[in-house]
Amino acid sequence: MASNDLFNILSPDSIAIIGASKNPAKRGYRSLRKLLDDGYAGAIYPINPNEIEICGIGCLPDLGSLPGPVDLALVCTPAATVASVIAECAAKGVRGAVVLAGGFGEAGDGGKRLQHAVLAAARAGGVRIIGPNTSGMFNTHKACNLVGFSDLRKGSIGLLSQSGNMALSLVTEAQANGQVGLSTYVGVGNEADIRFDEYLDYFAADPKTNVVIAYVEGLKDGRRFLNALRRISLEKPVVIYKSGRTSAGRISAKSHTGALAGEYAVSEGVLRQAGAILAHRSDEILPMAEALSLLPSLRSRRLAILADGGGHATIAADALSERGLALAPLSEDTRRRLTAELPPAASVINPVDVAGGTDTDPSVFAACAEILLQDPMVDGLLISGLYGGYAVRFSQDLLAAEIDATNLIGAMPRRFGKPVIVHSLYGALQADQRPLPLLEMHRAGIPVHSSLETAVRCMQALAERGEVDHTFALSLPKRAQHGGIFEQVLARCRAEGRRVVLEHEGRASLRDFGLDLAPALLALDEKEAEEAFLRLGAQPVAMKIVSRDILHKTEAGGVKLNVVDVASVRSGFLEIVANAKAAVTNPNVTGVLVTPMAAKGGVEIIVGVVRDAAYGPIIMFGLGGVLVEVLRDVVFRALPISRNDAFTMLDEIKAQAILDGVRGGTPVDRDALADFMVSISDFVDAFPDIDELDLNPVLAYPDGLAVLDVRILLTESSGARSPLKEGIEA
Amino acid sequence: MASNDLFNILSPDSIAIIGASKNPAKRGYRSLRKLLDDGYAGAIYPINPNEIEICGIGCLPDLGSLPGPVDLALVCTPAATVASVIAECAAKGVRGAVVLAGGFGEAGDGGKRLQHAVLAAARAGGVRIIGPNTSGMFNTHKACNLVGFSDLRKGSIGLLSQSGNMALSLVTEAQANGQVGLSTYVGVGNEADIRFDEYLDYFAADPKTNVVIAYVEGLKDGRRFLNALRRISLEKPVVIYKSGRTSAGRISAKSHTGALAGEYAVSEGVLRQAGAILAHRSDEILPMAEALSLLPSLRSRRLAILADGGGHATIAADALSERGLALAPLSEDTRRRLTAELPPAASVINPVDVAGGTDTDPSVFAACAEILLQDPMVDGLLISGLYGGYAVRFSQDLLAAEIDATNLIGAMPRRFGKPVIVHSLYGALQADQRPLPLLEMHRAGIPVHSSLETAVRCMQALAERGEVDHTFALSLPKRAQHGGIFEQVLARCRAEGRRVVLEHEGRASLRDFGLDLAPALLALDEKEAEEAFLRLGAQPVAMKIVSRDILHKTEAGGVKLNVVDVASVRSGFLEIVANAKAAVTNPNVTGVLVTPMAAKGGVEIIVGVVRDAAYGPIIMFGLGGVLVEVLRDVVFRALPISRNDAFTMLDEIKAQAILDGVRGGTPVDRDALADFMVSISDFVDAFPDIDELDLNPVLAYPDGLAVLDVRILLTESSGARSPLKEGIEA
């Protein structure tokens, strides 16, 4: 945690502007002007050897003339000068520097060398670097705006962005239509020194921030990011928009930042696991963050809809269901009380349609909202339709009643600890046309949206946050005991210079680690094959070649299934070995593995672990066969996973109904499956030498699992990698 | 086509207000006031026996006092009075009536009776009814506003809605942020008389309308709607938002309108087939309609993105790809010319990122747009980022250049016949804050959106419309020859009083109709079974019980597969018949069907036809097994389908990659599959007696198909139904 370091830098009491200028087109002028105009209360030191004063502030000729240490330097000079500027900063005890210039790591080998020099100077002198190649930073609570975005409103949303323009989009939106305002913004730039994870830790500790938005294209060190994300998510929601979701997007992300943008499905899984609330549309980022800032989380996914017309009620119910939210069943008592308030044509089944019952008295809205929120099955309320515009639509006489209702509703989230969001078609009006009750609602901290879909998306974010709150405690990873067998296998592999762990070695290691795999016996000749068959109870067996040189066993004739008698076992052994020798020139054949045939009728699944370039080791779960290959119906999590993570993975695959039994079949044993996945995660987590692990297929039954194939591949060299050092260094 | 009827009614030159009132809260006052305030040019006749004048217009005591025929009556009186009002209208030659009152078909048996009486009076006297239970109608070009929505802007978008509140939402949005304005609105209400299809025909003929929006909850007569939709789509785009998409939504739709809302997947398929552009978010309906009104369609799905920063370029590329649009590859020449305009850091690969190249000269935008649109591979242009706000962001000195660029870009859609849409983060500002170039862009007819996702959705709508334009001509259904065999089968079934067509009858009928099914021989005893086996070439056969009493053949032991010799064929026959008799008490056994075994390795598909309550006969296509059962990966079209429809269906299933060959396999024969589906469509279309047809499974190979099972079920009684009379009568 470096939050104390960053606190001085991101909340600076003194600022030097290196390359201060009198040219109004230059950042060295604009930033100074902005600090002065906004009334920045700290010390400001413009530095320029050619000017006496700028904007009435005396200029210093160089950093050496600074009267003492400075919290933050804004470096406006060209790339080639920055390394020596940073060295001078270090000499004067400057804590941090915002380096605006581009032409560093993102710009070829020459740029990379420059960036390396800057970093060396910074590290040598203890100066922390924001950027380079950044739009800058601002802290509204310090009136410190080093970006030049105009008119910032103070607020509680922290913003991290890999794109200055995206930041400008969000800031502009917050100014024009926002309800909350921003606390601190950092354009992370090339992340040469300070990276996302440290900024997240800063926001976790910053008392002025209660929600964070992060716009992410690629991550320099995904593993550290996930750990920081998990830490901050325990206390504050983080809304992440991860771009580069599609291959088309990825191409652009790469050329833009030079960072390696991971496969989106992986990011989606591991970011959610670490507590992130993921935005999938750029126009929903700010509304989601504002809802999370203003409202309590949803305790469940059950909501009530209160609408004043069937059209909006229907659209809202559609949108709710498409977002995985549910219409709460209303209690008898609730329905009876609603009936008493509303005309006979009203629907008092959720979605509630007041059917004109509010046209002459909008205060009925507050009464209905109160009744609905008192129902213990209702954990949140979405009001949809004409709300706020009754006076506009029907009569100005209704205005007072509508404002009264607004005040009552505005207090309900706090009173009930349940969120309320308003969709109003009058929200589409320009601010100066917008009806007074909507402005009041806005002021009271109730989000108002003209888009029903955005309103529902915000509710979903509150539900997601509620689930993070509730399940995070369960998510702390557990640690399993190391198995001794795999240590021996590892030593043997390294001694023999091979990366492939043979199947019998892998199976023995997993059994030793506590996994419930069927016994598998290695036979070195046909006699041992016969003995193995008899030891397994003379039940039908599968026989498989074991050879480091044969990866595709079936294609090489190295597999026989459903072998049922001694004679076939013996002839099978000879045939398999002969096939192997025919398939590959002079193969190293260890023997033939004999295993009991798996029971029929299981659901084919796949469990695998690979090392992601950004996030380190990740575990994948999917349904086998065509579903994985064609529909890519797989989910990912970062290692280690908790039991809760495993259950979430089972729930997230699209075809998860298959796990509940197809055509009236019995559901598979989800507990066994989750335990199995956690054990696999623990196993790989315990052995950084494992590069890849593939269990494919595994059959899942109503009462346990059968692993049909085990493939383990080791890293290139022993012990060189650890799960925490997986990031890509720039 | 009743468009001439409706023209007088929806574009009326004279209006009677029945139940005109002096009470400003009443529709009978408000509508009159609105007509006068808006300067309606036609004759207005307020009717009220208790008033001499209202708003300075002389009142008539009753309809009988009208001086002559009237185009339209606005009926503001309660439900119970309406039937006699309509009878009086008929007597005076009133052409049409807007019936506002609720309490009709949507309100139980009593309401249904009232509606029936109104309809009887209307039909007897030749009065056409809009509603009842409608919010009303308006025609901006006639200054005829019978809804009471305030301040309507004239425009070219026609609007049909089953929800008054949804109409108000769209009208409010059009007033506040819209670019185009509306022509005519009709709240269709209960559709007791005039239904959606007639309104669509009206809009097809209306010279003031160039795009139609329809908000649909349920359809009274889906088949007529589809036919009208197909007619209007030949000339004008129709944007449809179909609510009740999810089961939660459907419940509310039913309780609201009493109309039967169909399964959404069916609606999605058949509406798209008939040319509709489907909106899936309510906040995208108006933007889509405006884009379609203002811009040429996209000739392909290939676009260019022109952005002034990597963040927006990346997000735009993501959104494009997620919407099935593509980044056009740019020609050498285009890239060379862009390079000449832009700084070295710019990306001249699509998405084009100007990388600061426009910061000091926004006119470069127009130059780049021109270069991109000249590239024949680029069929449309999305500009994304800060456009319009350069003067705000950088310097007021840039304003003139930015407006010049705007004028140039504004003319490009017409010049190139290619659409241009602008995403600008400054579009989020309130209208009075919005930079001048954006207002100019708006005036020039270029859509400007602050939401990148909405901008991309509009581009997708233009692509969808382009595809309708291009493929509709190919979509005209072809007609096949009737087969005589099925006529005989039908006669036999009807004579025997059975609805089940036996499998050998079905197979023979389909072969006779020209479908390429494998021969199937019916054996009545074991000797005939042997003969059949030999006639089929003594190759492996499948044997199946044929009995009207046994639906689940496998479960009844009525199926034997891969029977390879004469002895097994004979014993198989006896066993199958014995099993059948053991499974069902005294079954009617026709015999055993002998068919060649299908070749291995085909892709399992399902083709079926059912009669949808709203749309009549629809054909379904899906991939067999778990994909259909768990993922519901199926698509629908209304009968009859064209070859183009069939190909579209193959493209629309999620797992369609399976048809291209899994694990490097050979693709299935898509031509054969499409021809097969068209033939099945033609077959069912030719015989209205068929209630359901199920071909499941069918195996699709690289060189043809094998139909493994044929099930045909007839309608209850002979000839009573026809495909064109499938609507549900209210």
Side-chain angles (χ1 to χ4, degrees):
Chain A
M1 296 263 278
S3 51
N4 283 341
D5 284 19
L6 295 197
F7 189 77
N8 292 312
I9 297 170
L10 297 178
S11 202
D13 286 325
S14 48
I15 298 174
I17 298 177
I18 300 159
S21 168
K22 281 192 163 173
N23 179 347
K26 298 253 180 186
R27 282 295 286 277
Y29 172 87
R30 291 158 65 99
S31 292
L32 177 58
R33 186 73 264 163
K34 201 89 196 84
L35 290 173
L36 296 172
D37 290 351
D38 291 353
Y40 173 68
I44 308 176
Y45 305 103
I47 297 179
N48 185 330
N50 305 319
E51 303 287 352
I52 308 292
E53 63 77 35
I54 303 174
C55 303
I57 309 274
C59 249
L60 300 177
D62 49 38
L63 277 153
S65 319
L66 281 173
V70 161
D71 284 338
L72 185 61
L74 177 68
V75 182
C76 306
T77 59
T81 67
V82 175
S84 63
V85 164
I86 296 300
E88 290 173 49
C89 285
K92 288 299 289 190
V94 172
R95 294 172 192 264
V98 178
V99 179
L100 298 177
F104 287 99
E106 83 286 5
D109 286 341
K112 284 201 178 69
R113 275 192 298 275
L114 281 182
Q115 183 162 319
H116 194 79
V118 168
L119 198 56
R123 297 240 160 113
V127 182
R128 303 302 310 271
I129 305 287
I130 297 172
N133 188 26
T134 170
S135 53
M137 61 76 66
F138 65 68
N139 179 331
T140 58
H141 298 281
K142 298 290 279 191
C144 165
N145 180 345
L146 300 181
V147 189
F149 298 164
S150 41
D151 309 321
L152 298 170
R153 184 196 318 201
K154 281 184 200 178
S156 57
I157 297 176
L159 175 61
L160 291 172
S161 179
Q162 257 177 327
S163 155
N165 282 3
M166 246 329 270
L168 182 58
S169 276
L170 291 166
V171 168
T172 304
E173 203 184 328
Q175 293 306 113
N177 297 302
Q179 221 165 342
V180 175
L182 298 167
S183 54
T184 295
Y185 158 69
V186 182
V188 300
N190 288 1
E191 297 177 81
D193 175 26
I194 313 176
R195 296 186 177 179
F196 266 117
D197 58 287
E198 287 190 70
Y199 296 122
L200 286 178
D201 285 334
Y202 164 79
F203 280 124
D206 177 26
K208 302 289 193 187
T209 298
N210 71 359
V211 175
V212 177
I213 292 173
Y215 170 79
V216 178
E217 294 187 344
L219 290 166
K220 295 273 183 185
D221 188 334
R223 179 58 63 155
R224 293 179 76 103
F225 183 85
L226 293 182
N227 290 336
L229 180 56
R230 180 179 279 269
R231 284 192 294 273
I232 185 173
S233 294
L234 287 169
E235 298 170 52
K236 299 174 185 179
V238 181
V239 177
I240 297 182
Y241 183 97
K242 171 76 179 71
S243 74
R245 292 208 297 274
T246 59
S247 52
R250 225 160 34 238
I251 292 163
S252 168
K254 265 184 205 171
S255 70
H256 179 48
T257 67
L260 197 151
E263 179 84 15
Y264 188 70
V266 173
S267 294
E268 174 108 11
V270 302
L271 294 175
R272 185 172 290 165
Q273 174 189 19
I277 314 295
L278 296 175
H280 295 106
R281 290 175 62 112
S282 61
D283 59 4
E284 292 176 342
I285 302 172
L286 187 71
M288 287 166 66
E290 294 198 325
L292 289 162
S293 175
L294 292 165
L295 295 172
S297 299
L298 268 168
R299 280 192 290 258
S300 76
R301 295 203 155 226
R302 291 185 311 272
L303 310 178
I305 293 171
L306 177 59
D308 48 13
H312 291 123
T314 304
I315 297 171
D318 275 352
L320 223 64
S321 164
E322 284 172 356
R323 291 266 163 214
L325 302 170
L327 292 167
L330 303 181
S331 73
E332 274 295 334
D333 184 52
T334 300
R335 296 213 302 272
R336 200 177 34 70
R337 292 171 64 200
L338 288 171
T339 302
E341 294 283 346
L342 296 170
S347 163
V348 296
I349 296 168
N350 203 0
V352 174
D353 175 359
V354 302
T358 49
D359 291 6
T360 52
D361 181 8
S363 73
V364 171
F365 261 115
C368 291
E370 172 101 22
I371 293 168
L372 286 166
L373 288 170
Q374 282 175 354
D375 190 320
M377 286 295 279
V378 173
D379 283 322
L381 176 65
L382 177 66
I383 296 176
S384 174
L386 278 65
Y387 194 88
Y390 277 78
V392 176
R393 177 79 182 100
F394 299 108
S395 159
Q396 283 297 320
D397 300 346
L398 301 176
L399 189 59
E402 204 171 5
I403 288 180
D404 285 350
T406 298
N407 292 334
L408 291 171
I409 292 170
M412 288 182 192
R414 266 189 313 283
R415 278 180 55 218
F416 292 101
K418 299 177 179 181
V420 177
I421 295 180
V422 172
H423 156 257
S424 172
L425 66 90
Y426 293 100
L429 297 176
Q430 298 298 326
D432 57 345
Q433 303 281 321
R434 220 166 281 166
L436 203 52
L438 289 189
L439 301 177
E440 288 291 326
M441 198 62 106
H442 198 264
R443 263 192 289 275
I446 304 280
V448 177
H449 294 287
S450 60
S451 158
L452 196 38
E453 287 79 9
T454 300
V456 169
R457 181 64 188 97
C458 290
M459 276 294 186
Q460 185 194 22
L462 294 170
E464 289 170 349
R465 179 62 194 167
E467 285 153 15
V468 171
D469 288 345
H470 289 171
T471 63
F472 234 52
L474 308 173
S475 283
L476 297 175
K478 70 165 197 185
R479 292 283 156 180
Q481 299 296 84
H482 281 213
I485 300 269
F486 191 66
E487 305 272 10
Q488 297 164 26
V489 168
L490 259 180
R492 195 183 317 140
C493 290
R494 293 307 186 191
E496 295 176 11
R498 63 178 156 104
R499 292 179 63 202
V500 175
V501 175
L502 296 171
E503 184 168 359
H504 70 290
E505 297 172 329
R507 284 184 174 270
S509 302
L510 291 173
R511 279 169 63 97
D512 177 55
F513 201 76
L515 279 105
D516 181 24
L517 266 67
L521 301 174
L522 181 71
L524 304 183
D525 56 30
E526 66 268 39
K527 184 155 185 318
E528 286 191 10
E530 175 184 338
E531 284 168 14
F533 173 68
L534 296 173
R535 272 174 60 199
L536 292 172
Q539 59 185 309
V541 294
M543 301 176 70
K544 266 196 284 190
I545 189 77
V546 178
S547 163
R548 74 173 78 162
D549 298 323
I550 296 174
L551 282 179
H552 302 290
K553 297 165 195 156
T554 304
E555 288 77 351
V559 178
K560 288 208 167 285
L561 299 179
N562 213 21
V563 187
V564 296
D565 56 46
V566 166
S568 311
V569 166
R570 294 183 74 113
S571 66
F573 181 94
L574 297 172
E575 215 178 305
I576 283 173
V577 173
N579 286 345
K581 289 184 174 162
V584 180
T585 311
N586 199 21
N588 182 322
V589 172
T590 306
V592 170
L593 199 66
V594 184
T595 51
M597 284 297 291
K600 288 194 175 169
V603 173
E604 200 176 303
I605 64 169
I606 173 170
V607 174
V609 177
V610 292
R611 287 180 189 268
D612 182 79
Y615 301 111
I618 53 172
I619 186 166
M620 183 185 87
F621 168 74
L623 290 177
V626 83
L627 291 164
V628 165
E629 287 173 39
V630 176
L631 296 178
R632 306 188 59 126
D633 189 11
V634 290
V635 289
F636 298 88
R637 290 292 185 278
L639 258 53
I641 60 166
S642 68
R643 208 156 180 267
N644 182 60
D645 290 333
F647 280 116
T648 319
M649 292 175 81
L650 303 186
D651 284 343
E652 272 179 22
I653 56 167
K654 292 189 207 83
Q656 60 121 337
I658 290 178
L659 300 176
D660 297 329
V662 178
R663 306 188 202 199
T666 319
V668 308
D669 185 345
R670 284 182 178 237
D671 284 311
L673 194 44
D675 286 341
F676 177 79
M677 288 160 62
V678 170
S679 295
I680 292 298
S681 158
D682 288 342
F683 178 70
V684 179
D685 200 49
F687 296 105
D689 285 82
I690 298 174
D691 198 35
E692 286 181 38
L693 177 148
D694 235 353
L695 307 177
N696 180 23
V698 175
L699 295 178
Y701 302 101
D703 57 350
L705 303 158
V707 179
L708 299 201
D709 198 35
V710 175
R711 283 190 60 231
I712 299 174
L713 196 69
L714 302 179
T715 55
E716 290 279 348
S717 62
S718 168
R721 309 170 83 180
S722 96
L724 291 176
K725 290 183 184 159
E726 285 299 310
I728 296 171
E729 299 294 323
Chain B
M1 295 267 276
S3 52
N4 283 341
D5 285 19
L6 295 197
F7 189 77
N8 291 313
I9 297 169
L10 297 179
S11 203
D13 286 325
S14 48
I15 298 174
I17 298 178
I18 299 158
S21 166
K22 283 193 161 171
N23 178 347
K26 299 255 181 189
R27 282 293 287 276
Y29 171 86
R30 291 157 65 98
S31 292
L32 176 57
R33 187 71 264 166
K34 201 92 196 82
L35 289 173
L36 295 172
D37 289 351
D38 292 353
Y40 173 67
I44 309 174
Y45 305 103
I47 297 178
N48 184 331
N50 305 317
E51 304 285 354
I52 307 292
E53 63 77 35
I54 303 175
C55 303
I57 309 274
C59 250
L60 300 178
D62 50 39
L63 278 152
S65 318
L66 282 171
V70 160
D71 284 337
L72 185 62
L74 177 68
V75 182
C76 305
T77 59
T81 67
V82 174
S84 62
V85 165
I86 296 300
E88 290 173 48
C89 285
K92 286 300 288 189
V94 173
R95 293 172 192 263
V98 178
V99 179
L100 299 177
F104 288 98
E106 83 285 4
D109 286 343
K112 285 201 177 67
R113 274 193 299 276
L114 281 181
Q115 184 162 317
H116 195 78
V118 169
L119 198 57
R123 298 239 158 113
V127 182
R128 303 304 308 271
I129 305 288
I130 297 172
N133 187 26
T134 170
S135 52
M137 62 75 67
F138 65 67
N139 180 332
T140 58
H141 297 281
K142 297 293 279 192
C144 165
N145 180 346
L146 300 181
V147 188
F149 298 164
S150 41
D151 308 322
L152 297 169
R153 183 194 320 198
K154 280 184 202 178
S156 56
I157 297 175
L159 175 61
L160 292 172
S161 179
Q162 258 179 324
S163 155
N165 282 1
M166 248 327 272
L168 181 58
S169 275
L170 292 165
V171 168
T172 304
E173 204 183 328
Q175 292 306 112
N177 297 303
Q179 220 165 342
V180 176
L182 298 168
S183 56
T184 294
Y185 159 67
V186 182
V188 300
N190 289 0
E191 296 177 81
D193 175 26
I194 313 176
R195 295 185 177 180
F196 266 116
D197 58 287
E198 287 190 72
Y199 295 122
L200 286 178
D201 285 334
Y202 163 80
F203 280 125
D206 177 26
K208 302 288 192 188
T209 297
N210 71 359
V211 175
V212 177
I213 292 172
Y215 170 79
V216 178
E217 294 187 343
L219 291 166
K220 296 273 183 184
D221 188 333
R223 179 58 61 155
R224 293 179 76 102
F225 182 85
L226 293 181
N227 290 337
L229 180 56
R230 180 179 279 269
R231 283 193 295 273
I232 185 171
S233 294
L234 287 170
E235 298 170 53
K236 300 174 186 180
V238 181
V239 177
I240 297 183
Y241 183 97
K242 171 77 179 68
S243 74
R245 291 208 298 274
T246 60
S247 50
R250 229 165 26 241
I251 291 163
S252 170
K254 265 186 204 171
S255 69
H256 179 49
T257 67
L260 197 152
E263 180 84 16
Y264 188 71
V266 173
S267 294
E268 174 108 10
V270 301
L271 294 175
R272 184 171 292 165
Q273 175 187 18
I277 313 294
L278 296 175
H280 295 106
R281 291 174 62 114
S282 60
D283 58 4
E284 291 176 342
I285 302 172
L286 187 71
M288 287 165 67
E290 293 198 326
L292 289 162
S293 175
L294 291 166
L295 295 171
S297 300
L298 268 168
R299 280 192 291 259
S300 76
R301 296 204 156 225
R302 291 185 311 272
L303 311 178
I305 293 172
L306 177 59
D308 47 14
H312 291 124
T314 305
I315 297 171
D318 275 352
L320 223 63
S321 165
E322 284 172 357
R323 291 267 163 214
L325 302 170
L327 291 167
L330 303 181
S331 74
E332 275 295 333
D333 185 52
T334 300
R335 295 212 303 271
R336 199 178 36 70
R337 292 172 63 201
L338 288 171
T339 302
E341 293 284 345
L342 295 170
S347 164
V348 297
I349 297 167
N350 202 0
V352 174
D353 176 359
V354 300
T358 48
D359 291 7
T360 53
D361 181 7
S363 73
V364 171
F365 261 114
C368 291
E370 172 100 22
I371 294 168
L372 287 166
L373 288 170
Q374 281 175 355
D375 190 320
M377 285 297 277
V378 173
D379 283 322
L381 177 65
L382 177 66
I383 296 176
S384 172
L386 278 64
Y387 194 88
Y390 277 79
V392 175
R393 177 82 183 96
F394 300 108
S395 159
Q396 283 298 322
D397 300 345
L398 301 175
L399 189 58
E402 203 170 6
I403 287 179
D404 285 349
T406 299
N407 292 334
L408 291 171
I409 293 170
M412 289 184 191
R414 265 188 315 281
R415 279 182 54 218
F416 291 100
K418 300 177 180 182
V420 177
I421 295 181
V422 172
H423 157 256
S424 172
L425 65 91
Y426 294 100
L429 297 176
Q430 298 298 327
D432 56 344
Q433 302 281 320
R434 221 167 281 167
L436 204 53
L438 288 190
L439 301 176
E440 286 294 325
M441 199 62 105
H442 198 265
R443 263 192 289 274
I446 306 281
V448 177
H449 294 286
S450 61
S451 158
L452 196 38
E453 287 78 9
T454 300
V456 170
R457 181 63 188 97
C458 290
M459 275 294 186
Q460 185 193 22
L462 294 170
E464 288 170 350
R465 178 61 194 167
E467 286 153 16
V468 171
D469 288 345
H470 289 172
T471 63
F472 234 53
L474 308 174
S475 282
L476 297 175
K478 70 163 196 184
R479 292 281 156 181
Q481 298 295 85
H482 281 211
I485 299 269
F486 191 66
E487 305 273 8
Q488 298 163 26
V489 168
L490 258 180
R492 196 183 316 141
C493 290
R494 293 305 187 195
E496 294 176 14
R498 61 179 158 104
R499 294 178 62 202
V500 175
V501 175
L502 296 171
E503 183 167 359
H504 70 290
E505 296 171 331
R507 284 183 174 272
S509 302
L510 290 174
R511 279 169 64 97
D512 177 55
F513 200 76
L515 280 106
D516 181 24
L517 268 64
L521 302 173
L522 181 70
L524 303 184
D525 56 31
E526 66 269 37
K527 183 155 186 320
E528 286 190 12
E530 177 184 336
E531 283 168 14
F533 174 68
L534 296 173
R535 273 176 58 199
L536 293 172
Q539 59 184 308
V541 294
M543 302 177 69
K544 267 196 283 188
I545 189 77
V546 178
S547 163
R548 75 172 78 163
D549 298 324
I550 296 175
L551 282 179
H552 302 290
K553 296 164 196 158
T554 303
E555 289 77 349
V559 178
K560 288 208 168 284
L561 300 179
N562 213 21
V563 187
V564 295
D565 57 44
V566 166
S568 310
V569 166
R570 294 183 73 112
S571 66
F573 181 95
L574 296 172
E575 216 178 306
I576 283 173
V577 172
N579 286 347
K581 289 184 172 160
V584 179
T585 312
N586 202 19
N588 182 320
V589 172
T590 306
V592 170
L593 199 67
V594 183
T595 52
M597 283 298 290
K600 288 194 174 169
V603 173
E604 199 177 304
I605 63 167
I606 174 170
V607 174
V609 177
V610 292
R611 287 181 189 267
D612 182 80
Y615 300 112
I618 53 173
I619 186 166
M620 182 184 88
F621 168 73
L623 290 176
V626 82
L627 290 163
V628 165
E629 288 175 38
V630 176
L631 295 179
R632 307 189 57 128
D633 189 10
V634 291
V635 287
F636 298 89
R637 290 293 185 277
L639 258 53
I641 61 166
S642 68
R643 205 155 183 269
N644 183 59
D645 290 333
F647 281 116
T648 319
M649 292 175 82
L650 302 187
D651 284 343
E652 272 180 20
I653 56 167
K654 292 189 208 82
Q656 61 119 339
I658 289 178
L659 299 176
D660 297 330
V662 176
R663 304 187 203 201
T666 318
V668 308
D669 185 345
R670 284 182 178 238
D671 285 310
L673 194 44
D675 287 339
F676 177 78
M677 287 161 62
V678 170
S679 295
I680 292 298
S681 160
D682 288 341
F683 178 70
V684 179
D685 200 48
F687 296 105
D689 286 82
I690 298 174
D691 197 36
E692 287 181 38
L693 176 147
D694 235 352
L695 308 177
N696 180 23
V698 176
L699 295 179
Y701 303 101
D703 57 351
L705 303 157
V707 179
L708 300 201
D709 199 34
V710 175
R711 283 189 59 229
I712 298 175
L713 195 69
L714 302 179
T715 54
E716 291 280 348
S717 63
S718 169
R721 309 170 83 180
S722 96
L724 291 176
K725 290 183 184 160
E726 285 298 311
I728 297 171
E729 298 292 323

